[in-house]
Amino acid sequence: MIPVKIRDDVYSLRANDWDRKLFDELVPLPDGTSYNSYLIKGGEKTALIDTVYPPKTAEFIAALKATGVETIDYVIANHAELDHAGSIPAVLELFPKAKVVANARCWRMMCDTMPLNRGSFVEAKDGRALSLGGKTLKFVFMPWVHWPETMGVFLEEDRIFFPCDFLGAHLAATELTVGDEAEFVIAAKRYYAEIMAPYRVQCRSALARVEELKPEIVAPSHGPVHIKPSVIIDLYRRWTSDDVKPEVLIVYASMYHSTTAMVGRLTDRLMEKGLPVKLINAVGLDSGVLSMALVDASTVVFASPTVLVGPHPSLAYAAILANALAPKTRFAAVIGSYGWGTTMPDLLREMLREFKAEFFEPVLTKGAPNAETFAAIDALAESIAAANATLTKGGETGAPA
Ligand code: FEO
């Protein structure tokens, strides 16, 4: 880990975590991640924006020393989560006179998880500025991206915005800025889908605040720095919009191929009607793949066999996850199979109670699907196609991919 200059007297201190496989024991990290801190040296004062995940503290402190910094006056905490705030105690140990600048809620949350000296706190207020001498930091509150206390900081003279988690990506990389843009877009979408999507409306408000600032650089606390902020801003504008794509996502599991036979029939009928279909097997699910698919698909079908009168546990997990992510899905359905009795559709619907979509009638088969089952699947395909055609006519569908 080495300090990298962004602009005069502004440095990135990025702790790459190439080996981390899961975030919060929940979110897969196929590309690792990074925890980015930023050092800003003013004519009179020096500030650090965010710190790093505690296991990375030692290398972070070494990189901080490598900048030649003699004192830190302010440690600005944009967010209380420990992957950014967790090394603050170590910084205060090294620079005991430093003040911790945070909004009141963030400060209280940090005090809940770390030993902090209450005398070190300086409260940040929305829209107020902190001068370092030739470098002015303006606080921009952006609550609920993705915790209640989140904020960003705008360095006015250099027009750099530091949004912490917002507009970030779980991507370990040595390049300061976005290298492979195609790779970055997938990482950014996965990150948005898993972390920010449940707060889509709040993200839209936060995005408007970022756009008002007209930053030349956006420097988040995960992943690369954006020297073309319009790329990430345009992506977020699309993801956070109310637009959906006329596309059917089928999340399925099958034990003796009855459910997969129904999924196959439905896929074929939908393809005939010109609707794109994406299939995700819920067994061994990568939650990021499901989350990304949920960002803008108009329609989701949950297809499950019956296990002990309920859904297959893998479908139950997928449904609970989909429900928590609160996607903008417009239409949904449950299909599946059973041997002698089932409450699977009702139990899945209960798991999807926050899923604000219009549900079509479930289609079920006892044992292997027969002609009657396939006729019901064909009718479901007709209903899905008709509903999506209405959406398209209404101009509510989004931009391509
Ligand atoms: Fe990267 Fe919400 O912490």
Short mmCIF file of all heavy atoms in Angstrom, two decimals, residues 41-108:
data_model
loop_
_atom_site.label_atom_id
_atom_site.label_comp_id
_atom_site.label_asym_id
_atom_site.label_seq_id
_atom_site.Cartn_x
_atom_site.Cartn_y
_atom_site.Cartn_z
N LYS A 41 -3.79 17.97 2.53
CA LYS A 41 -2.92 18.89 3.25
C LYS A 41 -3.26 20.32 2.85
O LYS A 41 -3.05 20.72 1.69
CB LYS A 41 -1.45 18.61 2.92
CG LYS A 41 -0.95 17.25 3.38
CD LYS A 41 0.50 17.08 2.94
CE LYS A 41 1.08 15.75 3.41
NZ LYS A 41 2.44 15.53 2.88
N GLY A 42 -3.80 21.08 3.78
CA GLY A 42 -4.05 22.49 3.54
C GLY A 42 -2.86 23.32 3.98
O GLY A 42 -1.87 22.79 4.51
N GLY A 43 -2.96 24.64 3.78
CA GLY A 43 -1.87 25.51 4.19
C GLY A 43 -1.72 25.58 5.70
O GLY A 43 -0.62 25.86 6.22
N GLU A 44 -2.81 25.33 6.41
CA GLU A 44 -2.75 25.43 7.88
C GLU A 44 -3.06 24.12 8.59
O GLU A 44 -2.56 23.86 9.67
CB GLU A 44 -3.76 26.49 8.34
CG GLU A 44 -3.42 27.90 7.84
CD GLU A 44 -4.65 28.78 7.72
OE1 GLU A 44 -5.69 28.46 8.34
OE2 GLU A 44 -4.57 29.78 6.98
N LYS A 45 -3.94 23.33 8.01
CA LYS A 45 -4.40 22.11 8.67
C LYS A 45 -4.34 20.93 7.71
O LYS A 45 -4.37 21.12 6.48
CB LYS A 45 -5.85 22.27 9.17
CG LYS A 45 -6.10 23.46 10.08
CD LYS A 45 -5.59 23.20 11.49
CE LYS A 45 -5.98 24.36 12.42
NZ LYS A 45 -5.38 24.21 13.75
N THR A 46 -4.33 19.76 8.30
CA THR A 46 -4.31 18.53 7.50
C THR A 46 -5.48 17.65 7.93
O THR A 46 -5.75 17.51 9.13
CB THR A 46 -2.98 17.77 7.70
OG1 THR A 46 -1.93 18.63 7.24
CG2 THR A 46 -2.94 16.49 6.93
N ALA A 47 -6.15 17.08 6.95
CA ALA A 47 -7.32 16.23 7.26
C ALA A 47 -7.19 14.88 6.58
O ALA A 47 -6.59 14.75 5.50
CB ALA A 47 -8.61 16.92 6.79
N LEU A 48 -7.79 13.91 7.23
CA LEU A 48 -7.87 12.56 6.68
C LEU A 48 -9.36 12.27 6.50
O LEU A 48 -10.15 12.49 7.43
CB LEU A 48 -7.27 11.59 7.70
CG LEU A 48 -6.89 10.18 7.28
CD1 LEU A 48 -5.85 10.20 6.16
CD2 LEU A 48 -6.36 9.42 8.49
N ILE A 49 -9.75 11.82 5.32
CA ILE A 49 -11.16 11.47 5.09
C ILE A 49 -11.29 9.95 5.11
O ILE A 49 -10.70 9.25 4.29
CB ILE A 49 -11.65 12.03 3.75
CG1 ILE A 49 -11.59 13.56 3.77
CG2 ILE A 49 -13.09 11.56 3.47
CD1 ILE A 49 -12.06 14.22 2.48
N ASP A 50 -12.03 9.46 6.09
CA ASP A 50 -12.25 8.02 6.30
C ASP A 50 -10.92 7.30 6.57
O ASP A 50 -9.84 7.82 6.30
CB ASP A 50 -13.00 7.37 5.12
CG ASP A 50 -14.42 7.92 4.99
OD1 ASP A 50 -15.03 8.23 6.02
OD2 ASP A 50 -14.88 8.06 3.84
N THR A 51 -11.05 6.12 7.15
CA THR A 51 -9.85 5.30 7.39
C THR A 51 -10.09 3.94 6.71
O THR A 51 -10.70 3.93 5.63
CB THR A 51 -9.54 5.16 8.90
OG1 THR A 51 -10.61 4.47 9.58
CG2 THR A 51 -9.32 6.53 9.54
N VAL A 52 -9.63 2.87 7.31
CA VAL A 52 -9.75 1.56 6.64
C VAL A 52 -10.23 0.50 7.62
O VAL A 52 -10.33 0.72 8.82
CB VAL A 52 -8.41 1.14 5.99
CG1 VAL A 52 -7.91 2.20 5.00
CG2 VAL A 52 -7.34 0.84 7.03
N TYR A 53 -10.50 -0.66 7.06
CA TYR A 53 -10.95 -1.86 7.80
C TYR A 53 -9.87 -2.24 8.82
O TYR A 53 -8.68 -2.30 8.47
CB TYR A 53 -11.15 -2.95 6.76
CG TYR A 53 -11.71 -4.26 7.18
CD1 TYR A 53 -12.81 -4.36 8.02
CD2 TYR A 53 -11.15 -5.44 6.68
CE1 TYR A 53 -13.34 -5.61 8.35
CE2 TYR A 53 -11.67 -6.69 7.00
CZ TYR A 53 -12.76 -6.76 7.84
OH TYR A 53 -13.27 -7.98 8.16
N PRO A 54 -10.23 -2.53 10.06
CA PRO A 54 -9.21 -2.76 11.10
C PRO A 54 -8.09 -3.75 10.75
O PRO A 54 -6.93 -3.47 11.05
CB PRO A 54 -10.04 -3.22 12.30
CG PRO A 54 -11.34 -2.49 12.12
CD PRO A 54 -11.59 -2.49 10.63
N PRO A 55 -8.38 -4.90 10.06
CA PRO A 55 -7.24 -5.78 9.73
C PRO A 55 -6.19 -5.12 8.83
O PRO A 55 -5.09 -5.65 8.67
CB PRO A 55 -7.90 -6.97 9.02
CG PRO A 55 -9.30 -6.98 9.53
CD PRO A 55 -9.66 -5.53 9.72
N LYS A 56 -6.53 -3.99 8.23
CA LYS A 56 -5.59 -3.30 7.35
C LYS A 56 -4.93 -2.11 8.03
O LYS A 56 -4.22 -1.32 7.37
CB LYS A 56 -6.32 -2.81 6.09
CG LYS A 56 -6.85 -3.94 5.21
CD LYS A 56 -5.70 -4.61 4.48
CE LYS A 56 -6.17 -5.75 3.61
NZ LYS A 56 -5.04 -6.42 2.93
N THR A 57 -5.14 -1.97 9.33
CA THR A 57 -4.66 -0.77 10.02
C THR A 57 -3.14 -0.60 9.92
O THR A 57 -2.66 0.51 9.66
CB THR A 57 -5.08 -0.81 11.50
OG1 THR A 57 -6.50 -0.83 11.56
CG2 THR A 57 -4.57 0.40 12.26
N ALA A 58 -2.40 -1.68 10.13
CA ALA A 58 -0.94 -1.55 10.18
C ALA A 58 -0.39 -1.02 8.86
O ALA A 58 0.43 -0.08 8.83
CB ALA A 58 -0.29 -2.89 10.53
N GLU A 59 -0.87 -1.58 7.74
CA GLU A 59 -0.34 -1.10 6.45
C GLU A 59 -0.85 0.31 6.14
O GLU A 59 -0.16 1.11 5.50
CB GLU A 59 -0.63 -2.07 5.31
CG GLU A 59 -2.05 -2.36 5.00
CD GLU A 59 -2.20 -3.40 3.87
OE1 GLU A 59 -2.05 -3.03 2.70
OE2 GLU A 59 -2.50 -4.56 4.18
N PHE A 60 -2.03 0.62 6.64
CA PHE A 60 -2.57 1.96 6.44
C PHE A 60 -1.71 2.99 7.18
O PHE A 60 -1.33 4.03 6.62
CB PHE A 60 -4.02 1.99 6.94
CG PHE A 60 -4.64 3.35 7.05
CD1 PHE A 60 -4.77 4.16 5.92
CD2 PHE A 60 -5.08 3.84 8.27
CE1 PHE A 60 -5.35 5.42 6.02
CE2 PHE A 60 -5.66 5.09 8.37
CZ PHE A 60 -5.79 5.88 7.25
N ILE A 61 -1.40 2.70 8.41
CA ILE A 61 -0.58 3.64 9.20
C ILE A 61 0.80 3.80 8.57
O ILE A 61 1.35 4.90 8.49
CB ILE A 61 -0.48 3.16 10.67
CG1 ILE A 61 -1.86 3.22 11.35
CG2 ILE A 61 0.55 3.98 11.45
CD1 ILE A 61 -2.45 4.60 11.56
N ALA A 62 1.35 2.69 8.05
CA ALA A 62 2.66 2.78 7.40
C ALA A 62 2.58 3.68 6.16
O ALA A 62 3.49 4.51 5.92
CB ALA A 62 3.14 1.37 7.00
N ALA A 63 1.51 3.55 5.39
CA ALA A 63 1.35 4.39 4.19
C ALA A 63 1.14 5.84 4.58
O ALA A 63 1.64 6.76 3.91
CB ALA A 63 0.19 3.89 3.34
N LEU A 64 0.42 6.04 5.66
CA LEU A 64 0.19 7.41 6.14
C LEU A 64 1.52 8.06 6.53
O LEU A 64 1.80 9.21 6.15
CB LEU A 64 -0.77 7.35 7.34
CG LEU A 64 -1.29 8.66 7.92
CD1 LEU A 64 -1.98 9.50 6.86
CD2 LEU A 64 -2.26 8.37 9.08
N LYS A 65 2.36 7.30 7.20
CA LYS A 65 3.68 7.83 7.58
C LYS A 65 4.52 8.11 6.33
O LYS A 65 5.29 9.07 6.29
CB LYS A 65 4.40 6.83 8.49
CG LYS A 65 3.82 6.77 9.90
CD LYS A 65 4.55 5.72 10.73
CE LYS A 65 4.01 5.66 12.15
NZ LYS A 65 4.55 4.50 12.92
N ALA A 66 4.33 7.28 5.30
CA ALA A 66 5.12 7.45 4.06
C ALA A 66 4.78 8.75 3.33
O ALA A 66 5.55 9.20 2.47
CB ALA A 66 4.90 6.27 3.12
N THR A 67 3.66 9.35 3.65
CA THR A 67 3.33 10.64 3.02
C THR A 67 4.18 11.76 3.62
O THR A 67 4.20 12.87 3.09
CB THR A 67 1.84 11.01 3.24
OG1 THR A 67 1.60 11.21 4.63
CG2 THR A 67 0.91 9.95 2.68
N GLY A 68 4.84 11.48 4.74
CA GLY A 68 5.64 12.50 5.41
C GLY A 68 4.79 13.44 6.24
O GLY A 68 5.30 14.45 6.76
N VAL A 69 3.53 13.08 6.42
CA VAL A 69 2.66 13.97 7.20
C VAL A 69 3.15 14.03 8.65
O VAL A 69 3.51 13.01 9.24
CB VAL A 69 1.19 13.49 7.11
CG1 VAL A 69 0.96 12.17 7.82
CG2 VAL A 69 0.25 14.55 7.64
N GLU A 70 3.20 15.26 9.19
CA GLU A 70 3.70 15.41 10.56
C GLU A 70 2.59 15.48 11.57
O GLU A 70 2.78 15.18 12.75
CB GLU A 70 4.58 16.66 10.63
CG GLU A 70 5.88 16.45 9.86
CD GLU A 70 6.74 17.69 9.83
OE1 GLU A 70 6.31 18.74 10.32
OE2 GLU A 70 7.85 17.58 9.29
N THR A 71 1.44 15.90 11.12
CA THR A 71 0.31 15.94 12.04
C THR A 71 -1.00 15.76 11.27
O THR A 71 -1.08 16.07 10.07
CB THR A 71 0.27 17.26 12.83
OG1 THR A 71 -0.75 17.17 13.81
CG2 THR A 71 -0.02 18.45 11.93
N ILE A 72 -1.98 15.23 11.94
CA ILE A 72 -3.34 15.17 11.40
C ILE A 72 -4.19 16.01 12.35
O ILE A 72 -4.21 15.77 13.56
CB ILE A 72 -3.89 13.73 11.38
CG1 ILE A 72 -3.05 12.82 10.47
CG2 ILE A 72 -5.36 13.71 10.97
CD1 ILE A 72 -3.27 12.98 9.01
N ASP A 73 -4.84 17.01 11.81
CA ASP A 73 -5.70 17.86 12.64
C ASP A 73 -7.13 17.33 12.71
O ASP A 73 -7.78 17.44 13.75
CB ASP A 73 -5.70 19.29 12.08
CG ASP A 73 -4.31 19.89 12.08
OD1 ASP A 73 -3.82 20.25 13.17
OD2 ASP A 73 -3.68 19.94 11.00
N TYR A 74 -7.59 16.80 11.59
CA TYR A 74 -8.98 16.31 11.53
C TYR A 74 -9.04 14.93 10.88
O TYR A 74 -8.43 14.71 9.83
CB TYR A 74 -9.85 17.25 10.70
CG TYR A 74 -9.86 18.68 11.18
CD1 TYR A 74 -9.24 19.69 10.43
CD2 TYR A 74 -10.48 19.04 12.38
CE1 TYR A 74 -9.25 21.01 10.85
CE2 TYR A 74 -10.49 20.36 12.82
CZ TYR A 74 -9.87 21.34 12.05
OH TYR A 74 -9.87 22.64 12.48
N VAL A 75 -9.81 14.05 11.51
CA VAL A 75 -10.17 12.79 10.85
C VAL A 75 -11.66 12.89 10.57
O VAL A 75 -12.47 12.98 11.50
CB VAL A 75 -9.91 11.57 11.75
CG1 VAL A 75 -10.20 10.28 10.97
CG2 VAL A 75 -8.49 11.57 12.27
N ILE A 76 -12.00 12.94 9.30
CA ILE A 76 -13.41 13.10 8.93
C ILE A 76 -14.02 11.73 8.68
O ILE A 76 -13.53 10.96 7.84
CB ILE A 76 -13.54 13.99 7.69
CG1 ILE A 76 -12.97 15.39 8.03
CG2 ILE A 76 -14.98 14.09 7.22
CD1 ILE A 76 -12.79 16.30 6.87
N ALA A 77 -15.07 11.43 9.44
CA ALA A 77 -15.75 10.14 9.29
C ALA A 77 -17.05 10.36 8.54
O ALA A 77 -18.01 10.92 9.07
CB ALA A 77 -16.01 9.53 10.67
N ASN A 78 -17.08 9.90 7.31
CA ASN A 78 -18.30 10.03 6.51
C ASN A 78 -19.35 9.01 6.91
O ASN A 78 -20.53 9.17 6.58
CB ASN A 78 -17.98 9.84 5.03
CG ASN A 78 -17.43 11.10 4.37
OD1 ASN A 78 -17.79 12.20 4.76
ND2 ASN A 78 -16.56 10.93 3.39
N HIS A 79 -18.89 7.95 7.59
CA HIS A 79 -19.77 6.78 7.77
C HIS A 79 -19.21 5.99 8.95
O HIS A 79 -17.99 5.86 9.09
CB HIS A 79 -19.72 5.99 6.46
CG HIS A 79 -20.50 4.72 6.40
ND1 HIS A 79 -21.62 4.46 7.16
CD2 HIS A 79 -20.31 3.61 5.62
CE1 HIS A 79 -22.08 3.26 6.84
NE2 HIS A 79 -21.31 2.72 5.93
N ALA A 80 -20.10 5.47 9.79
CA ALA A 80 -19.64 4.81 11.02
C ALA A 80 -19.25 3.34 10.82
O ALA A 80 -18.68 2.74 11.72
CB ALA A 80 -20.75 4.88 12.07
N GLU A 81 -19.56 2.76 9.67
CA GLU A 81 -19.27 1.34 9.49
C GLU A 81 -17.75 1.12 9.59
O GLU A 81 -16.95 1.93 9.11
CB GLU A 81 -19.83 0.81 8.16
CG GLU A 81 -19.84 -0.70 8.12
CD GLU A 81 -20.71 -1.30 7.01
OE1 GLU A 81 -21.30 -0.54 6.22
OE2 GLU A 81 -20.78 -2.55 6.96
N LEU A 82 -17.39 -0.01 10.21
CA LEU A 82 -16.00 -0.18 10.61
C LEU A 82 -15.02 -0.37 9.46
O LEU A 82 -13.81 -0.21 9.65
CB LEU A 82 -15.89 -1.37 11.58
CG LEU A 82 -16.58 -1.12 12.93
CD1 LEU A 82 -16.45 -2.36 13.82
CD2 LEU A 82 -16.01 0.09 13.64
N ASP A 83 -15.50 -0.68 8.27
CA ASP A 83 -14.55 -0.79 7.15
C ASP A 83 -14.00 0.59 6.77
O ASP A 83 -13.01 0.67 6.04
CB ASP A 83 -15.17 -1.50 5.94
CG ASP A 83 -16.46 -0.88 5.46
OD1 ASP A 83 -17.24 -0.39 6.30
OD2 ASP A 83 -16.70 -0.88 4.24
N HIS A 84 -14.61 1.65 7.30
CA HIS A 84 -14.10 3.01 7.06
C HIS A 84 -13.70 3.72 8.35
O HIS A 84 -12.77 4.51 8.36
CB HIS A 84 -15.14 3.85 6.31
CG HIS A 84 -15.63 3.18 5.08
ND1 HIS A 84 -14.80 2.95 3.99
CD2 HIS A 84 -16.81 2.61 4.77
CE1 HIS A 84 -15.48 2.29 3.07
NE2 HIS A 84 -16.70 2.07 3.52
N ALA A 85 -14.44 3.44 9.41
CA ALA A 85 -14.17 4.14 10.66
C ALA A 85 -13.25 3.33 11.59
O ALA A 85 -12.71 3.88 12.55
CB ALA A 85 -15.49 4.43 11.39
N GLY A 86 -13.06 2.05 11.28
CA GLY A 86 -12.43 1.14 12.24
C GLY A 86 -10.99 1.44 12.60
O GLY A 86 -10.51 0.96 13.64
N SER A 87 -10.28 2.22 11.79
CA SER A 87 -8.89 2.53 12.13
C SER A 87 -8.76 3.92 12.76
O SER A 87 -7.62 4.38 12.98
CB SER A 87 -8.00 2.44 10.88
OG SER A 87 -8.00 1.13 10.38
N ILE A 88 -9.86 4.56 13.06
CA ILE A 88 -9.77 5.89 13.69
C ILE A 88 -9.02 5.83 15.02
O ILE A 88 -8.15 6.68 15.28
CB ILE A 88 -11.18 6.52 13.84
CG1 ILE A 88 -11.72 6.91 12.46
CG2 ILE A 88 -11.13 7.75 14.76
CD1 ILE A 88 -13.14 7.47 12.47
N PRO A 89 -9.30 4.84 15.89
CA PRO A 89 -8.55 4.82 17.16
C PRO A 89 -7.03 4.75 16.95
O PRO A 89 -6.27 5.40 17.68
CB PRO A 89 -9.08 3.56 17.87
CG PRO A 89 -10.48 3.40 17.33
CD PRO A 89 -10.37 3.82 15.89
N ALA A 90 -6.60 4.02 15.93
CA ALA A 90 -5.15 3.92 15.67
C ALA A 90 -4.59 5.27 15.21
O ALA A 90 -3.47 5.65 15.57
CB ALA A 90 -4.88 2.84 14.62
N VAL A 91 -5.37 6.00 14.41
CA VAL A 91 -4.91 7.32 13.96
C VAL A 91 -4.83 8.27 15.15
O VAL A 91 -3.86 9.05 15.29
CB VAL A 91 -5.86 7.88 12.87
CG1 VAL A 91 -5.46 9.31 12.49
CG2 VAL A 91 -5.84 6.98 11.63
N LEU A 92 -5.80 8.18 16.04
CA LEU A 92 -5.80 9.06 17.22
C LEU A 92 -4.65 8.72 18.18
O LEU A 92 -4.14 9.59 18.88
CB LEU A 92 -7.14 8.97 17.96
CG LEU A 92 -8.36 9.48 17.16
CD1 LEU A 92 -9.64 9.32 18.01
CD2 LEU A 92 -8.19 10.93 16.74
N GLU A 93 -4.28 7.46 18.16
CA GLU A 93 -3.15 7.06 19.00
C GLU A 93 -1.87 7.70 18.48
O GLU A 93 -1.01 8.17 19.23
CB GLU A 93 -3.03 5.54 18.98
CG GLU A 93 -2.28 4.96 20.17
CD GLU A 93 -2.32 3.45 20.13
OE1 GLU A 93 -3.42 2.88 20.04
OE2 GLU A 93 -1.22 2.85 20.18
N LEU A 94 -1.76 7.75 17.15
CA LEU A 94 -0.58 8.33 16.51
C LEU A 94 -0.59 9.86 16.57
O LEU A 94 0.45 10.49 16.75
CB LEU A 94 -0.54 7.86 15.04
CG LEU A 94 0.74 8.07 14.26
CD1 LEU A 94 1.91 7.30 14.87
CD2 LEU A 94 0.53 7.61 12.80
N PHE A 95 -1.79 10.41 16.43
CA PHE A 95 -1.94 11.88 16.44
C PHE A 95 -2.99 12.25 17.50
O PHE A 95 -4.15 12.53 17.17
CB PHE A 95 -2.37 12.39 15.06
CG PHE A 95 -1.43 12.03 13.95
CD1 PHE A 95 -1.75 11.04 13.03
CD2 PHE A 95 -0.19 12.67 13.83
CE1 PHE A 95 -0.88 10.70 12.01
CE2 PHE A 95 0.69 12.34 12.81
CZ PHE A 95 0.36 11.35 11.90
N PRO A 96 -2.59 12.27 18.77
CA PRO A 96 -3.58 12.42 19.86
C PRO A 96 -4.33 13.75 19.86
O PRO A 96 -5.40 13.83 20.46
CB PRO A 96 -2.74 12.28 21.13
CG PRO A 96 -1.36 11.99 20.73
CD PRO A 96 -1.23 12.06 19.24
N LYS A 97 -3.81 14.74 19.15
CA LYS A 97 -4.52 16.03 19.15
C LYS A 97 -5.56 16.12 18.02
O LYS A 97 -6.27 17.12 17.91
CB LYS A 97 -3.51 17.18 19.01
CG LYS A 97 -2.63 17.32 20.24
CD LYS A 97 -1.74 18.53 20.11
CE LYS A 97 -0.87 18.66 21.36
NZ LYS A 97 0.23 19.60 21.19
N ALA A 98 -5.63 15.10 17.20
CA ALA A 98 -6.57 15.15 16.07
C ALA A 98 -8.01 15.14 16.57
O ALA A 98 -8.34 14.52 17.59
CB ALA A 98 -6.34 13.95 15.16
N LYS A 99 -8.86 15.87 15.85
CA LYS A 99 -10.29 15.90 16.15
C LYS A 99 -11.02 14.98 15.16
O LYS A 99 -10.64 14.90 13.98
CB LYS A 99 -10.85 17.32 15.98
CG LYS A 99 -10.23 18.34 16.93
CD LYS A 99 -10.69 18.09 18.35
CE LYS A 99 -10.20 19.16 19.30
NZ LYS A 99 -10.48 18.84 20.71
N VAL A 100 -12.06 14.33 15.66
CA VAL A 100 -12.88 13.51 14.78
C VAL A 100 -14.09 14.33 14.35
O VAL A 100 -14.86 14.80 15.18
CB VAL A 100 -13.35 12.22 15.50
CG1 VAL A 100 -14.22 11.39 14.56
CG2 VAL A 100 -12.15 11.41 15.96
N VAL A 101 -14.21 14.53 13.05
CA VAL A 101 -15.30 15.35 12.50
C VAL A 101 -16.33 14.41 11.89
O VAL A 101 -16.02 13.62 10.99
CB VAL A 101 -14.77 16.32 11.43
CG1 VAL A 101 -15.89 17.24 10.96
CG2 VAL A 101 -13.60 17.14 11.98
N ALA A 102 -17.54 14.49 12.41
CA ALA A 102 -18.62 13.61 11.92
C ALA A 102 -19.94 14.27 12.26
O ALA A 102 -19.99 15.18 13.10
CB ALA A 102 -18.53 12.24 12.60
N ASN A 103 -21.00 13.81 11.61
CA ASN A 103 -22.30 14.32 12.06
C ASN A 103 -22.66 13.64 13.38
O ASN A 103 -22.06 12.63 13.77
CB ASN A 103 -23.37 14.18 10.97
CG ASN A 103 -23.67 12.75 10.60
OD1 ASN A 103 -23.95 11.92 11.47
ND2 ASN A 103 -23.62 12.45 9.31
N ALA A 104 -23.63 14.21 14.07
CA ALA A 104 -23.91 13.76 15.45
C ALA A 104 -24.31 12.29 15.49
O ALA A 104 -23.91 11.55 16.38
CB ALA A 104 -25.01 14.65 16.05
N ARG A 105 -25.09 11.89 14.50
CA ARG A 105 -25.55 10.50 14.51
C ARG A 105 -24.39 9.53 14.26
O ARG A 105 -24.27 8.48 14.89
CB ARG A 105 -26.63 10.32 13.44
CG ARG A 105 -27.32 9.00 13.53
CD ARG A 105 -28.59 8.98 12.73
NE ARG A 105 -29.42 7.86 13.12
CZ ARG A 105 -30.64 7.65 12.66
NH1 ARG A 105 -31.18 8.49 11.82
NH2 ARG A 105 -31.33 6.59 13.05
N CYS A 106 -23.52 9.91 13.34
CA CYS A 106 -22.36 9.08 13.03
C CYS A 106 -21.47 8.95 14.27
O CYS A 106 -20.99 7.87 14.60
CB CYS A 106 -21.58 9.69 11.86
SG CYS A 106 -20.16 8.73 11.34
N TRP A 107 -21.28 10.07 14.96
CA TRP A 107 -20.45 10.05 16.16
C TRP A 107 -21.04 9.09 17.19
O TRP A 107 -20.32 8.26 17.77
CB TRP A 107 -20.33 11.46 16.74
CG TRP A 107 -19.62 11.49 18.05
CD1 TRP A 107 -20.17 11.70 19.29
CD2 TRP A 107 -18.21 11.27 18.29
NE1 TRP A 107 -19.22 11.62 20.27
CE2 TRP A 107 -18.00 11.36 19.69
CE3 TRP A 107 -17.12 11.00 17.46
CZ2 TRP A 107 -16.75 11.20 20.27
CZ3 TRP A 107 -15.85 10.84 18.05
CH2 TRP A 107 -15.69 10.94 19.43
N ARG A 108 -22.34 9.18 17.42
CA ARG A 108 -22.97 8.29 18.41
C ARG A 108 -22.80 6.83 17.98
O ARG A 108 -22.51 5.96 18.80
CB ARG A 108 -24.47 8.60 18.53
CG ARG A 108 -24.77 9.90 19.25
CD ARG A 108 -26.23 9.96 19.71
NE ARG A 108 -27.17 9.86 18.61
CZ ARG A 108 -27.61 10.90 17.89
NH1 ARG A 108 -27.21 12.13 18.17
NH2 ARG A 108 -28.48 10.72 16.92
#
